[in-house]
Amino acid sequence: MKSGTVAVIGKANAGKSTLINVLVGEKVAIVSPKPQTTRDRILGILTRDDHQIVFVDTPGIYRQRNALTARMMKTTETTAKDVDAILFVHDGHAGLSEDDLALILRYEALGLPLLIAYTKIDIMPKEKIPGDIKALFDAGVTADVYPVSARKGVNLKKLEQAIAELLPEGGPLYPEDIISDRSEKFMIAELMREKILLKYEKEIPHGVAVVVNKFERHENGAYEIDLDIVCEKKNHKAILIGKQGRALKETASFARADMEKFLGAKVFLTVYVKVREDWRDKATLMKEFGYGEED
Ligand SMILES: Nc1nc2c(ncn2[C@@H]2O[C@H](COP(=O)(O)OP(=O)(O)OP(=O)(O)O)[C@@H](O)[C@H]2O)c(=O)[nH]1
Ligand SMILES: [Mg+2]
């Protein structure tokens, strides 16, 4: 059996988390059209008869502007050095810049087995693909390139097989029924954050942390969940809540529906909005909200 860890690396918004979710067959990481959706390393584990691929989702490469984004970039850098292979995800639809080429070459230089998933081919002209692949090779990239679409499920079997072949021989690293290393409580907080990313504009979602204070299952099977949405400015709080609380009510009910689907049970959700001025630059607050020093 082939088994090992694969860091999934690429620019913010490239489609890393979407690709992992589709390959694993379950939602292990939240997804949004905004960059910097993923903040932590999250495992997505795919087990078959002849291989186990432990995908490590990482924060996408993007501007660092505060202690939180600096921590995110550090997470990505350290993850890339501590795995059996790298899956570099490139957004084909966004085009191929000099910057992209340099980034791919930088990860190739780490010396680990590396594959490139050239994704989102469902929303771009197919004629562009060969030219981009040639540009990669001309720039000195030696990795194999797999044009895929996570959304339409194109070429994913081939990609999975190619990834498995990069991995060492060995037994499974995790029991076969485990698909992630993250708790239900973590996913609940992330699902709330996902809906905020989808509903609000500009800096607001990037300045939000979600803290679950109560996560209890009642005898009848229903969950009681209380959580805080922490934002970094007073005016953000007003926007999050909206006129007569309408915006928050809508976002919370959108999140609750997804939480019920995820937990397979009824959810009673209570949401509070709190302000912690500029928490993204304050180590103690970051730690309190789940973004502490990594070991
Ligand atoms: N059309 C199309 N859209 C895709 C595909 N894969 C991802 N997307 C979209 O691209 C956006 C970003 O997807 P994510 O999976 O959150 O990207 P990411 O690389 O994890 O982003 P960060 O966590 O911010 O680094 C979302 O709106 C996805 O729906 C694809 O194959 N086709
Ligand atoms: Mg992501």
Side-chain angles (χ1 to χ4, degrees):
M1 179 178 199
K2 297 276 200 176
S3 71
T5 52
V6 177
V8 181
I9 304 273
K11 278 190 177 166
N13 211 41
K16 300 175 292 300
S17 302
T18 307
L19 188 57
I20 294 172
N21 289 341
V22 173
L23 287 166
V24 170
E26 301 252 5
K27 182 162 175 165
V28 295
I30 61 165
V31 163
S32 94
K34 297 199 175 67
Q36 300 193 310
T37 296
T38 304
R39 288 180 176 170
D40 279 289
R41 67 205 293 276
I42 298 170
L43 302 188
I45 305 158
L46 171 60
T47 308
R48 307 262 191 224
D49 289 342
D50 58 348
H51 59 254
Q52 182 178 70
I53 307 173
V54 180
F55 291 103
V56 190
D57 196 4
T58 64
I61 296 152
Y62 199 67
R63 295 192 293 271
Q64 290 182 27
R65 287 197 286 198
N66 47 50
L68 177 64
T69 46
R71 176 188 185 271
M72 285 158 61
M73 290 308 96
K74 194 169 151 210
T75 299
T76 302
E77 287 306 303
T78 37
T79 303
K81 289 174 187 145
D82 190 27
V83 284
D84 295 306
I86 294 177
L87 178 66
F88 191 97
V89 178
H90 171 72
D91 178 351
H93 160 259
L96 186 67
S97 64
E98 288 297 323
D99 203 37
D100 292 309
L101 294 170
L103 198 60
I104 295 170
L105 287 168
R106 187 155 78 75
Y107 281 98
E108 267 204 356
L110 293 176
L112 293 168
L114 184 144
L115 277 184
I116 299 170
Y118 177 109
T119 191
K120 305 195 193 178
I121 61 165
D122 56 298
I123 48 167
M124 62 176 287
K126 307 284 170 294
E127 313 81 74
K128 274 193 62 196
I129 302 172
D132 280 353
I133 294 179
K134 184 169 181 303
L136 284 162
F137 291 150
D138 289 347
V141 172
T142 58
D144 287 337
V145 182
Y146 287 79
V148 300
S149 163
R151 188 169 288 174
K152 296 272 156 125
V154 180
N155 266 338
L156 299 179
K157 266 278 145 222
K158 274 195 200 140
L159 176 67
E160 179 188 328
Q161 207 49 50
I163 297 167
E165 276 160 26
L166 297 180
L167 299 178
E169 281 293 332
L173 303 172
Y174 289 86
E176 62 180 65
D177 56 335
I178 299 285
I179 57 157
S180 179
D181 62 331
R182 295 299 182 155
S183 63
E184 286 181 330
K185 196 171 154 186
F186 174 85
M187 268 311 280
I188 291 301
E190 287 286 272
L191 289 173
M192 186 72 239
R193 206 164 59 75
E194 181 181 63
K195 303 309 175 245
I196 294 167
L197 277 154
L198 295 171
K199 274 251 178 219
Y200 299 92
E201 289 309 316
K202 304 208 179 99
E203 268 308 284
I204 291 177
H206 294 303
V208 157
V210 176
V211 180
V212 177
N213 292 315
K214 188 186 227 180
F215 182 75
E216 274 177 24
R217 184 154 208 194
H218 291 295
E219 265 172 29
N220 64 5
Y223 286 82
E224 188 179 339
I225 300 173
D226 289 3
L227 56 83
D228 290 343
I229 297 173
V230 184
C231 63
E232 55 182 7
K233 304 260 182 268
K234 264 206 189 115
N235 63 324
H236 288 187
K237 177 173 173 173
I239 295 169
L240 280 161
I241 294 174
K243 278 209 181 87
Q244 286 153 355
R246 227 176 286 141
L248 185 64
K249 209 177 262 171
E250 257 181 56
T251 316
S253 91
F254 189 23
R256 185 173 46 79
D258 240 27
M259 291 172 190
E260 289 185 336
K261 206 164 96 191
F262 172 72
L263 295 167
K266 183 135 191 64
V267 167
F268 294 95
L269 179 64
T270 312
V271 173
Y272 305 89
V273 182
K274 292 188 175 163
V275 183
R276 292 288 179 275
E277 288 284 333
D278 300 320
W279 67 266
R280 286 189 291 171
D281 267 322
K282 292 177 182 157
T284 44
L285 289 179
M286 275 174 54
K287 190 166 172 206
E288 193 182 322
F289 305 151
Y291 307 108
E293 272 291 322
E294 288 201 276
D295 29 58

